[in-house]
Amino acid sequence: MYQDKKVVFSGVQPSGVLTIGNYLGAIKNFAYFSDAYHCYYCVVDEHAITVRQMPADLRRRTYETLALYIACGLDPEKNTLFVQSHVSAHAELGWILDCYTMFGELSRMTQFKDKSAKNADNINAGLFTYPTLMAADILLYQTELVPVGVDQKQHLELSRDIALRFNQVYGDTFVVPDGYIAKETAKIMSLAEPTKKMSKSDENENAVVRILDPRDTIIRKFKRAVTDSGSEIRAAEDKPGVTNLISIYGAFTGKSVPEVEKEFEGKGYGDFKLAVGEVCADALAPVQAQFARLSADKAYLETVMKQGAEAAAHDAARTMSKVRRKVGFIELKR
Ligand code: AQP
């Protein structure tokens, strides 16, 4: 559909202050695509309300997430940056795709099972159909590539299945997307329970390092990180804590696992954890400085949101028109 360049789409929920998991697993990779692809990066606020949010917090975090996109290197001139609820086609296509998604498929989604367990008093229909809205986000823009963390792999596979099913019934309508999952940072683990994913909504502040944490907080959190028995700094299945710290150190320094292991040969956990905290704080400092400048300029952020929403709505309209015709809706002439 977009003859000039292939399309990349991804999104982040403004459901908390973003973590280094969101940064290393997703946002940091977004900028790699900006030159070669037509990129849409969305703040997915409609996804966020599948879990109860305080309205004022959601609004603040939506601005904050957009400012972080830009602070992490996404130039609004080169990327379409926008907020999901500003483009009504997402919800509209989400509904249509609900009718092409099976109950059994949604029932198998592990994120639904995990989030239902965490929010037992609010297992709403939106939480269940979250993956179809995600499929709509992606398919609306005829996306080829979706950079995500590995936790989103199952949802992405469902998006592919929905696209293939729709195309089979109605003929070529959607590009079938592929995931882009950076191997080394696919899943950054909790610092408190390293067998569990680091999540921005984790209530244990010591489990997560946030992109906006001050330097001393970052260093303190790494110093407290749970490590494993033994004293060797080596990546291994039975050493999830140390393995996670090695991945984080490697991601911030660009070093491979063997290089990190070699660098810390003969050193203790204390030295290692301090070094991880320092490289993380150093890498985040420029992002934080840029974020501080941007978040002081709400008018600028609103201009970016508005321009992004107009561009995204324009492009989404092409897919929507095609989808409406295919399923048999009447399009009124303007
Ligand atoms: N720990 C992680 N390691 C690597 N990648 C991660 N991502 C999230 N956590 C990690 C990736 O960040 C992108 C945005 O995620 P999201 O906001 O859409 O939702 P999520 O995956 O549910 O992230 P959180 O932090 O766990 O949020 P909450 O706590 O609200 O559920 C995605 O590409 C995701 O893979």
Side-chain angles (χ1 to χ4, degrees), residues 84-331:
Q84 187 183 29
S85 64
H86 293 165
V87 181
S88 56
H90 288 252
E92 190 183 355
L93 184 61
W95 169 254
I96 294 174
L97 296 183
D98 274 341
C99 304
Y100 298 83
T101 309
M102 300 302 128
F103 181 86
E105 288 175 312
L106 293 173
S107 309
R108 286 195 288 277
M109 296 293 117
T110 53
Q111 182 173 293
F112 172 69
K113 292 180 200 164
D114 292 348
K115 291 208 169 174
S116 306
K118 267 204 233 162
N119 301 282
D121 56 344
N122 184 25
I123 306 175
N124 59 74
L127 195 62
F128 188 64
T129 59
Y130 180 114
T132 5
L133 180 59
M134 179 167 155
D137 300 337
I138 297 167
L139 302 183
L140 257 183
Y141 301 99
Q142 306 294 348
T143 303
E144 301 257 347
L145 212 55
V146 188
V148 281
V150 79
D151 60 319
Q152 293 298 332
K153 190 164 179 255
Q154 197 186 24
H155 288 168
L156 198 68
E157 277 162 9
L158 182 62
S159 299
R160 288 172 57 84
D161 291 343
I162 296 170
L164 287 166
R165 180 173 304 140
F166 198 98
N167 287 350
Q168 201 174 23
V169 178
Y170 298 108
D172 264 0
T173 309
F174 298 121
V175 167
V176 181
D178 275 316
Y180 172 89
I181 299 176
K183 197 168 139 267
E184 305 75 15
T185 52
K187 199 169 184 184
I188 301 298
M189 310 308 271
S190 151
L191 296 191
E193 287 174 75
T195 50
K196 213 180 91 181
K197 187 184 85 139
M198 183 182 286
S199 268
K200 62 175 114 61
S201 60
D202 198 318
E203 281 162 12
N204 179 359
E205 264 308 307
N206 289 322
V208 293
V209 175
R210 300 190 187 272
I211 303 181
L212 298 176
D213 275 345
R215 183 180 185 85
D216 54 342
T217 307
I218 294 176
I219 290 178
R220 178 174 40 78
K221 285 180 176 177
F222 277 111
K223 276 189 183 162
R224 286 197 187 156
V226 168
T227 35
D228 318 283
S229 54
S231 58
E232 240 185 309
I233 293 154
R234 179 174 53 81
E237 231 169 83
D238 61 343
K239 290 169 87 70
V242 172
T243 304
N244 187 36
L245 296 179
I246 291 176
S247 307
I248 295 171
Y249 188 82
F252 281 119
T253 56
K255 291 180 182 163
S256 66
V257 172
E259 282 170 338
V260 180
E261 288 172 338
K262 189 147 197 318
E263 185 176 339
F264 290 95
E265 216 169 62
K267 303 224 170 92
Y269 283 164
D271 289 343
F272 177 50
K273 290 201 259 186
L274 177 64
V276 185
E278 283 176 340
V279 293
C280 174
D282 289 348
L284 295 180
V287 174
Q288 294 178 350
Q290 178 69 341
F291 174 83
R293 276 192 290 278
L294 288 162
S295 51
D297 193 351
K298 207 167 162 186
Y300 169 70
L301 294 175
E302 281 169 359
T303 305
V304 172
M305 273 181 199
K306 191 159 180 288
Q307 287 173 350
E310 280 166 7
H314 172 269
D315 297 344
R318 297 199 259 177
T319 300
M320 280 316 299
S321 170
K322 202 163 153 187
V323 169
R324 283 194 209 99
R325 260 187 293 116
K326 297 231 177 189
V327 298
F329 293 166
I330 295 169
E331 279 217 284

